Amino acid sequence: MASHQQSAVSTEEQQATDTAEPETALETARRQLERAAAHLEIDDSVLERLEHPAKVHEVTVPLERDDGSVEVFTGYRAQHDSVRGPYKGGLRYHPEVTRDECVGLSMWMTWKCAVMDLPFGGAKGGVVVNPKSLSDGEKERLTRRFTQEIRSVIGPTTDIPAPDMGTDPETMAWIMDAYSMQEGETIPGVVTGKPPVVGGSYGREEAPGRSVAIVTRETCDYYDYPLSDTTVAVQGFGSVGANAARLLEEWGATIVAVSDVNGAIYDADGIEVGAIPSHDEEPEAVTAYATETPDITRISNEALLELDVDVLVPAAVGNVLTADNAADIAADIVVEGANGPTTFAAAAILEERGVHVIPDILANAGGVTVSYFEWLQDINRRKWSLERVHEELESEMVGAWSAVRDEVESKNVTWRDAAYVVALSRVAEAHEMRGLWP
């Protein structure tokens, strides 16, 4: 049997790529696949299959605007791999949605589901549109037409979309309704991230932030950082950052800095994050809090990243830790709350410096995990309590973190490499067991 085993990408090679950044999500995903494969003996044919999506659907989405004119948009649904179960992944409305971005993000979803040992494969999709340019009525009509265009390739046992950038629980409710109307029965399991009143799960929206907090707690305990003595800086006070910060504060950590798009606030003695609305609850609340609190120091988002803290949680946007600032990151532990906040070059520098980086495919996987819980509830027509959701998420996150930790210890690799090794080994084994037909 042919096997794929090579040396890991060198630090110099990774740093050299920073001159070409930002690379596409597809390029990044393929490089991460190659790097993980370097630590495993993987059949070449399996690796070749995983470098490509199973299917990419491109559709035309005509929309009648409020003024009566018709505008045509392009939509995509990339389905990467379904060897372990139905495709799963978000739908985004954004002007920069591309085919390759959807393919790359669908690959990440495959690894995220696998590292959490969920019975899903990866998918991603979206419409090339600025959602801020749409009225509520136009967004609903666009969503329902897009649903009709991709209806034949989604379904509760086929491909289950979820919210992403520019979409929300209401968008998922429209998709569920449009799909159900055409099928002639109510099928809540076709999407996740819905409002609880139409089959959504309690605890879904705060789940990614909750998982970031759980993973931070476990990592701090592993490296002997008692939370009561641990300082944390959180870039981004949206749903992920705010929920992570509040929970860590509740567990005893000191949150010394948080930020929104307008800037950051810092207090070495700690900030009462429970008193600050998240960006989703009240935009610009962080900077408004600084205006009302004279003892708070205003700093930039960039300065927040370089604070001398125990734990840094980049939970805003991607590519904020780069070759330009990686040498100045003073935190001992970085927990990725956002998707892709660390470039390849920055990861190499942080590794050399001994900074422990917990990757996004593990840290913020609470979202897809509670989506899995929602899917189970929909299929069984039995709703779980919020307490059960929290208990089940705790169990799943600790189990996944422990599996990754075991690879860190046994292979002496970074947390990111360990997470990809866990994911790739599970997906590759499933492919080898199922074989290739015909």
Side-chain angles (χ1 to χ4, degrees), residues 63-101:
L63 167 69
E64 183 177 351
R65 304 299 295 249
D66 290 340
D67 63 5
S69 65
V70 174
E71 190 168 352
V72 177
F73 299 93
T74 300
Y76 298 98
R77 187 64 178 175
Q79 298 169 328
H80 175 244
D81 186 85
S82 63
V83 71
R84 290 167 48 86
Y87 300 108
K88 187 82 187 77
L91 282 174
R92 56 179 53 182
Y93 290 173
H94 194 276
E96 295 180 8
V97 168
T98 66
R99 179 192 184 279
D100 281 359
E101 178 193 53

Side-chain angles (χ1 to χ4, degrees), residues 121-427:
K124 207 75 173 188
V127 177
V128 187
V129 62
N130 179 2
K132 295 179 180 178
S133 71
L134 303 174
S135 68
D136 289 343
E138 289 172 337
K139 185 176 181 181
E140 180 176 355
R141 293 195 294 276
L142 180 76
T143 299
R144 291 181 180 275
R145 182 59 187 247
F146 181 48
T147 303
Q148 178 62 19
E149 297 297 338
I150 64 171
R151 183 170 64 87
S152 62
V153 300
I154 63 173
T157 59
T158 308
D159 182 351
I160 306 114
D164 203 294
M165 294 170 57
T167 59
D168 54 25
E170 186 175 39
T171 315
M172 297 303 108
W174 293 331
I175 294 175
M176 188 269 279
D177 182 67
Y179 182 88
S180 297
M181 292 292 287
Q182 292 295 321
E183 294 296 313
E185 59 179 306
T186 298
I187 307 177
V190 66
V191 290
T192 59
K194 304 178 296 296
V197 72
V198 288
S201 177
Y202 298 123
R204 170 60 181 83
E205 287 195 69
E206 62 265 31
R210 192 172 191 88
S211 67
V212 167
I214 292 170
V215 166
T216 301
R217 182 197 67 204
E218 295 300 305
T219 307
C220 286
D221 181 64
Y222 180 72
Y223 287 113
D224 197 24
Y225 285 74
L227 281 185
S228 58
D229 299 326
T230 297
T231 54
V232 182
V234 179
Q235 187 195 47
F237 207 66
S239 178
V240 177
N243 282 297
R246 291 165 183 171
L247 202 52
L248 287 168
E249 181 184 58
E250 182 182 323
W251 291 342
T254 303
I255 313 300
V256 298
V258 296
S259 71
D260 62 17
V261 67
N262 295 313
I265 58 176
Y266 170 72
D267 187 338
D269 296 325
I271 297 168
E272 188 182 349
V273 292
I276 307 175
S278 74
H279 185 75
D280 299 325
E281 295 163 344
E282 184 183 321
E284 304 182 11
V286 170
T287 45
Y289 180 81
T291 302
E292 299 162 3
T293 313
D295 295 336
I296 293 288
T297 302
R298 294 279 295 270
I299 60 175
S300 67
N301 263 291
E302 293 74 21
L304 179 147
L305 297 170
E306 299 173 8
L307 289 173
D308 186 7
V309 293
D310 299 313
V311 178
L312 171 65
V313 180
V317 294
N319 294 337
V320 295
L321 302 182
T322 68
D324 293 332
N325 63 4
D328 298 317
I329 302 303
D332 298 322
I333 298 169
V334 175
V335 180
E336 295 184 338
N339 289 321
T342 310
T343 67
F344 261 76
I349 296 169
L350 294 170
E351 179 183 354
E352 283 186 346
R353 296 182 55 227
V355 178
H356 308 294
V357 181
I358 314 302
D360 47 7
I361 65 166
L362 172 63
N364 68 22
V368 71
T369 303
V370 176
S371 276
Y372 169 57
F373 299 162
E374 180 177 332
W375 181 70
L376 290 176
Q377 293 169 69
D378 289 338
I379 288 176
N380 292 291
R381 298 295 203 269
R382 184 174 185 132
K383 187 172 288 294
W384 296 2
S385 67
L386 180 60
E387 292 72 23
R388 180 177 178 186
V389 171
H390 286 171
E391 289 171 4
E392 296 277 359
L393 179 59
E394 170 82 15
S395 176
E396 294 289 340
M397 292 308 307
V398 172
W401 180 91
S402 298
V404 174
R405 177 208 58 206
D406 290 346
E407 292 296 332
V408 168
E409 294 177 344
S410 66
K411 289 187 168 58
N412 191 30
V413 294
T414 67
W415 286 87
R416 188 183 311 280
D417 286 344
Y420 277 90
V421 164
V422 169
L424 181 56
S425 63
R426 288 171 175 167
V427 174

